[in-house]
Amino acid sequence: TPLPDPGPVPGMGPAERRAARGGGPAPGIGADLSGGSASATLALLAAGLPGVPGTILGHGTGAGERLLAVTFNDLLAQDREPELERAGAIAANPRLHHVVVAAGEEALPYADLETGPLTDEPGPSLITAERHRRRLSSGSADHFVGDGARQVLDAHPARLADLLMDRRRRHLIRPVTALARADGSLLLPFTLYRAARRLSRTPYRAGIEATAEALLHHRFPPEGTTLDVTLAALTWARPGPAARWLTGEALAEVSLRLQASASRPTSVQRPGEARARASLARYASDHRVFEQAAEVRSQRLHAPFLDNQVVRASRALPESLRVQPGARSEILRKVLSGAGVRDLPTGWGATSQASSAAALRTGLRSSVSTLIELFDAPLLADAGLIEARVVRKALRAASEGEPLPLDGLADLISTELWLRRLLSRRGTCWTGTAAPRQRAVAGGVVPSQSGIRSTPRSALSSPTGD
């Protein structure tokens, strides 16, 4: 056994260094416990690891001998009492050490956007990084999060077209009936069936070309009822949530690229499978941004639902099972039952997506003045992608309660924020008084003598520098 690390100062070990820099994650294993099915499954499975729970190979003392379960309590959210009660009932397990992190306005989305690390790419997680960092700072050195369970286990609405392609019409009865009950419309089953049948008969090239034409003519899916959202999902591709605020030149360029990609062969010939793969890829890309933006020193985040083996196992599940309402909770319940966990609290498996959407709208309302100031002279407008006046008008309208796609506004805000961080931190690695402050293409792009625009060296060295 090696001797303990004395640290840079003799007699100062890892615990003293951690205390000197203001604390850090607790040693051992921890997990989120929000009261939802995904995080509860990971917490209960991790608590049942062999040896002493919450530690690796049974080593550890004190509070680390139990799994550290962290619950985030949003004091401004409403109708969260059932979720917190379920988390408390699950944490009554003697193998769990429950910690509740309470936060108010300071932890809302869009709060404290001035501080934060520069990530590799922009992503919507930048606007909620401080919110998640408050929860993760109370976690363990190895912390499990339930991110990605909805994208991996749930079926995309376009899977209904896949079932029609396989002539499994009877499997559409339960999901269509559940949607009709949630929307309260008697015509929804017939409308949804016609849309799914139309998608099942639409080739890939025709579907992509239809999306390119919709972008070119500024036709975007409406926001509102469950029927509108579901019908918009029954396509080979759809305009992104932020597309309605882009300029005509930017939309025309995207339309041309889509038309060019429609003629290329694709490996996925089923619309539901293609949409599910694209949704999972987007979420996994944003999860990488989340790990960098909400990083806590000396902490390793683990997202088991995004693991390759879990994704492959989930794809092996029959589509007829995944499209049924409540399929994710039933699958996770069977997983826990196989691990010996059968006593689950009442209401386990209820969805909790509405609370996050409400927190996003509340944070937008609280920080609307700061966000409007952010788009006074945006870099995206300098690049010709948006018009600042249009985005400012949309921010005011969304803060007043208009049904606008909040995820699209989050994309625009996070991209503008990332560009500002990139320009302000470019060249900060240079040290010394004689070292110049470097910026990306600081002098712009200068036309050459022959009339052809010269390309910056940084663009030539990048595979996407076209």
Side-chain angles (χ1 to χ4, degrees), residues 247 249-250 378-386 416 419:
T247 59
E249 293 80 0
L379 297 173
L380 290 174
D382 295 341
L385 298 178
I386 64 170
E416 176 67 24
L419 289 175

Side-chain angles (χ1 to χ4, degrees), residues 13 100 104 133 161 186 210 213 232 246 268 344 462:
V100 179
R133 193 183 298 112
L186 298 177
E213 184 180 358
L246 298 183
V268 181
L344 297 174
S462 173

Side-chain angles (χ1 to χ4, degrees), residues 36-78:
S37 57
S39 61
T41 300
L42 294 181
L44 292 173
L45 290 178
L49 291 174
V52 181
T55 61
I56 301 178
L57 300 179
H59 297 290
T61 57
E65 294 182 355
R66 294 186 295 171
L67 181 81
L68 181 61
V70 182
T71 299
F72 182 79
N73 183 16
D74 191 353
L75 300 178
L76 300 180
Q78 299 178 356

Side-chain angles (χ1 to χ4, degrees), residues 72-84 103-105 107-109 131 352-360 362-363:
F72 182 79
N73 183 16
D74 191 353
L75 300 178
L76 300 180
Q78 299 178 356
D79 301 332
R80 287 208 62 198
E81 287 77 10
E83 189 175 355
L84 294 176
E105 295 183 359
L108 282 174
R131 181 182 181 88
S352 59
Q353 197 172 7
S355 59
S356 60
L360 198 64
T362 304

